[in-house]
Amino acid sequence: MNKGVKSYKKQQGVVLFFSLIILIMMTVIGVALAVNSTQSLRMAGAGSERVEAKALADGGVAAILLNKTPAFLASMTAIDDQNSFSGGTQVLTPLPLVDDGTGNLIVQPKNVSCQRRGNANQAGSFQCRRIEISSQVSFGRDNLGQVTVVTGIEQEVLSGS
């Protein structure tokens, strides 16, 4: 009986050692799961910021179309970059842009045939002016991300306008 008590006392340290090893492994697994969930939350937040920025950029295009009159759009002769709607900046560019020979693009708006209507009338009295609207919104940490939405429109004008 004396030998059994001695072997039992020798084994008490082994149980403690294995208990500590299992505790350390579970701690490492818990820390790894916490880091993984934090990264997932950050990625989900970044995705939602991107979606919000896209919605704001689309809202900027809609605000331009709401606030600029058709007469203004039809008579544009220069780039209009003084617009700030929905937390972003919007630029209206009358088309076409023409190379001036030195590599610079200049605005030379002109009436062109409308793409959406083949022959709207027999006399061809309606033509179109094309305008590009770009809306840019910054998002994310330190506003490092940018979303740009570009839309083209045609404004009908009377021929010779």
Side-chain angles (χ1 to χ4, degrees), residues 63-135:
I64 287 290
L65 294 174
L66 184 65
N67 289 302
K68 302 293 183 179
T69 65
F72 173 82
L73 296 174
S75 62
M76 284 185 67
T77 58
I79 295 174
D80 178 13
D81 59 359
Q82 302 299 314
N83 303 291
S84 180
F85 296 103
S86 299
T89 57
Q90 292 76 34
V91 178
L92 285 77
T93 307
L95 299 176
L97 296 174
V98 180
D99 187 350
D100 66 355
T102 62
N104 296 323
L105 295 176
I106 58 172
V107 176
Q108 286 188 344
K110 61 181 181 179
N111 295 344
V112 294
S113 61
C114 298
Q115 292 181 354
R116 294 185 72 191
R117 293 183 204 220
N119 291 323
N121 54 12
Q122 296 295 330
S125 58
F126 287 101
Q127 292 201 324
C128 287
R129 290 269 176 106
R130 294 192 179 119
I131 300 164
E132 176 185 277
I133 303 171
S134 67
S135 179

Side-chain angles (χ1 to χ4, degrees), residues 148-161:
T148 302
V149 174
V150 179
T151 303
I153 62 169
E154 285 187 333
Q155 179 61 49
E156 290 181 344
V157 295
L158 290 172
S159 292
S161 297

Side-chain angles (χ1 to χ4, degrees), residues 28 49 117 123:
V28 168
E49 286 178 354
R117 293 183 204 220

Side-chain angles (χ1 to χ4, degrees), residues 31-45:
V31 169
L33 289 174
V35 168
N36 189 17
S37 66
T38 302
Q39 285 296 92
S40 295
L41 285 172
R42 285 183 185 166
M43 289 171 47

